[in-house]
Amino acid sequence: MKQKTIESKVLEIKDKSELMVDLSYSSLIYDHTPIAKEVYELEEVIDILYEEIQHDILNGVKEGATSVEDAHVLMRLAKAGEEIADAALEIADVQLRDVELHPIVKLSIRESDEVLTRVQVLESSILCNKTLGQLKLGSETGMTVIAMRHQNHWLYGPNKNTMIDPNDILFAKGPEDGETHLIELAEGKTSEI
Amino acid sequence: MKQKTIESKVLEIKDKSELMVDLSYSSLIYDHTPIAKEVYELEEVIDILYEEIQHDILNGVKEGATSVEDAHVLMRLAKAGEEIADAALEIADVQLRDVELHPIVKLSIRESDEVLTRVQVLESSILCNKTLGQLKLGSETGMTVIAMRHQNHWLYGPNKNTMIDPNDILFAKGPEDGETHLIELAEGKTSEI
């Protein structure tokens, strides 16, 4: 039981740190400070998780519930995730210091293997009033929604139950032709998901 | 011209470092040493790139082609990418040290928001003898191929022109229902992409 809790925390660090990298680059490309601030908030969550994991592992070893070898692996994986989170913080910090990013730098980051995009969902869009779970945008368009402005607040790493309302703003990442498809869906230019 | 070169190198660090993270976790989940070794090779590429970027930036500043502010931002972005690559190396190192990973740890990493999967392409599959560019797996299934065994050698970060042959092994990442779709395609259970 204890063991499972440690692993789920390590997984949480993995998922959150990767989300932070995507959010931090998005904040730079779209000159978007709320997302950069969220990276700071997430870093605090990760710091707490990391402390907890170390504590849990040491207790697990002491009580004989965790082998020394497993403990070592879990510590290293947690540390690697925490370092990725620190790197994301560095990237977000460029945005928060109010440095005006050179357009060529922005363009260059956007032209990554996986494109980061921002789109507003119009009232005429088929995406309105459906959950991310119903839409399956990930498998149908290749685009993963990493953040969205929904009913006057920001959601980061939205889940399957998150509903899209008219005028929501989506930040998503995925392949280039997935981006085109998502934009057409959001702007009501196609209803074929 | 110089400026463009620096940015494209920073982008290369960004893309390669993120690929390294995916490859390193894949090596752990599938107990796959060749992929872990590739992370080491990529880390060397990134170290060279990072040195070159610093050199290019300093020259750009000296010659007046790069502003001090742009130089600072580019240095920080390159550094962040290099740190992500270092973290990936840490993860790959767990695999290379021949530590037998606890099944629960493997399972837990696999159950990430984005699933990492491995599948062999059977001769009956519609994927055979087509390029990744033709198939558009990214936008059609949500799965990005991060590595593949093709004609007796491994390819890491394959591109649009990479052809899939019968019996190739694909390592890919994406959403859970995208994984199901990719496996069905690779095993010839469906021909609907």
Side-chain angles (χ1 to χ4, degrees):
Chain A
M1 200 61 190
K2 188 82 167 200
Q3 189 70 1
K4 191 170 185 309
T5 310
I6 300 174
E7 267 110 27
S8 65
K9 285 179 185 173
V10 172
L11 180 63
E12 200 179 333
I13 286 195
K14 174 186 182 296
D15 284 341
K16 283 210 163 61
S17 62
E18 292 178 6
L19 175 65
M20 284 169 68
V21 172
D22 292 331
L23 293 176
S24 63
Y25 282 122
S26 296
S27 78
L28 281 188
I29 299 171
Y30 294 101
D31 195 12
H32 198 89
T33 303
I35 286 191
K37 284 187 180 156
E38 176 66 16
V39 174
Y40 263 75
E41 305 268 325
L42 285 170
E43 162 64 10
E44 282 175 26
V45 174
I46 282 190
D47 279 347
I48 293 165
L49 266 170
Y50 184 56
E51 288 303 313
E52 280 180 15
I53 287 167
Q54 286 175 298
H55 192 257
D56 290 355
I57 290 173
L58 293 172
N59 266 320
V61 169
K62 186 185 162 194
E63 292 162 10
T66 309
S67 74
V68 169
E69 216 156 55
D70 284 355
H72 196 190
V73 167
L74 288 166
M75 287 247 187
R76 292 184 67 178
L77 292 180
K79 180 90 178 74
E82 197 255 340
E83 282 168 7
I84 290 170
D86 283 345
L89 201 68
E90 272 287 306
I91 298 162
D93 199 48
V94 173
Q95 172 63 24
L96 289 177
R97 277 172 193 258
D98 224 353
V99 179
E100 189 55 51
L101 212 61
H102 196 293
I104 298 173
V105 180
K106 279 190 196 182
L107 201 66
S108 143
I109 303 170
R110 226 191 80 84
E111 280 172 354
S112 176
D113 286 350
E114 287 194 302
V115 173
L116 289 160
T117 196
R118 174 195 161 126
V119 65
Q120 185 157 26
V121 180
L122 304 186
E123 283 185 29
S124 56
S125 167
I126 191 105
L127 306 180
C128 291
N129 308 312
K130 296 199 180 67
T131 63
L132 290 176
Q134 287 173 308
L135 291 166
K136 293 185 182 166
L137 290 177
S139 52
E140 297 296 340
T141 69
M143 302 301 287
T144 308
V145 179
I146 57 171
M148 59 191 283
R149 184 173 168 85
H150 178 71
Q151 294 173 341
N152 297 321
H153 60 272
W154 281 94
L155 287 170
Y156 302 94
N159 62 37
K160 290 176 182 177
N161 302 318
T162 307
M163 176 80 78
I164 297 182
D165 280 348
N167 302 315
D168 281 359
I169 292 168
L170 311 179
F171 279 85
K173 76 162 179 173
E176 250 176 271
D177 44 351
E179 180 189 25
T180 313
H181 189 184
L182 178 65
I183 291 172
E184 285 174 358
L185 287 167
E187 294 182 347
K189 288 175 187 156
T190 181
S191 53
E192 279 179 49
I193 297 184
Chain B
M1 201 59 190
K2 187 79 166 206
Q3 187 70 1
K4 190 171 185 312
T5 310
I6 300 174
E7 266 110 29
S8 67
K9 286 178 184 172
V10 172
L11 180 64
E12 200 178 333
I13 286 195
K14 173 187 183 294
D15 284 340
K16 284 211 163 59
S17 62
E18 292 177 7
L19 175 65
M20 285 169 68
V21 172
D22 291 331
L23 292 176
S24 63
Y25 282 121
S26 295
S27 78
L28 281 188
I29 300 172
Y30 294 101
D31 196 11
H32 198 89
T33 301
I35 287 192
K37 284 185 179 157
E38 174 67 16
V39 174
Y40 264 75
E41 304 268 324
L42 284 171
E43 164 62 11
E44 282 175 26
V45 174
I46 282 190
D47 279 347
I48 293 165
L49 266 172
Y50 185 55
E51 289 302 315
E52 280 180 13
I53 288 168
Q54 286 175 300
H55 192 257
D56 291 355
I57 290 173
L58 293 172
N59 266 320
V61 169
K62 186 185 162 195
E63 292 163 11
T66 309
S67 73
V68 169
E69 216 156 54
D70 284 355
H72 196 190
V73 167
L74 289 165
M75 287 246 187
R76 293 183 68 179
L77 292 180
K79 181 89 179 71
E82 197 256 340
E83 282 168 8
I84 290 170
D86 283 345
L89 201 70
E90 272 287 305
I91 298 162
D93 198 48
V94 173
Q95 172 63 23
L96 289 176
R97 276 169 194 261
D98 225 352
V99 178
E100 190 55 51
L101 211 63
H102 197 292
I104 298 175
V105 179
K106 279 190 197 181
L107 201 66
S108 143
I109 302 171
R110 227 191 78 84
E111 280 172 355
S112 178
D113 286 350
E114 287 195 302
V115 173
L116 288 160
T117 195
R118 174 193 161 127
V119 66
Q120 185 158 27
V121 180
L122 303 186
E123 284 184 29
S124 57
S125 168
I126 189 105
L127 305 181
C128 292
N129 308 313
K130 295 199 180 70
T131 63
L132 291 177
Q134 288 174 308
L135 292 166
K136 293 186 182 164
L137 290 176
S139 51
E140 297 296 340
T141 69
M143 301 302 286
T144 307
V145 180
I146 56 171
M148 58 190 284
R149 185 174 168 84
H150 177 69
Q151 293 174 339
N152 297 319
H153 60 272
W154 281 95
L155 286 171
Y156 302 93
N159 61 39
K160 290 175 182 178
N161 303 318
T162 307
M163 177 80 80
I164 296 183
D165 280 349
N167 302 315
D168 282 358
I169 292 168
L170 312 180
F171 279 85
K173 78 162 178 172
E176 250 177 88
D177 43 350
E179 179 188 26
T180 314
H181 188 184
L182 178 67
I183 292 172
E184 285 174 359
L185 286 167
E187 295 182 345
K189 287 175 187 155
T190 180
S191 54
E192 279 179 50
I193 299 183

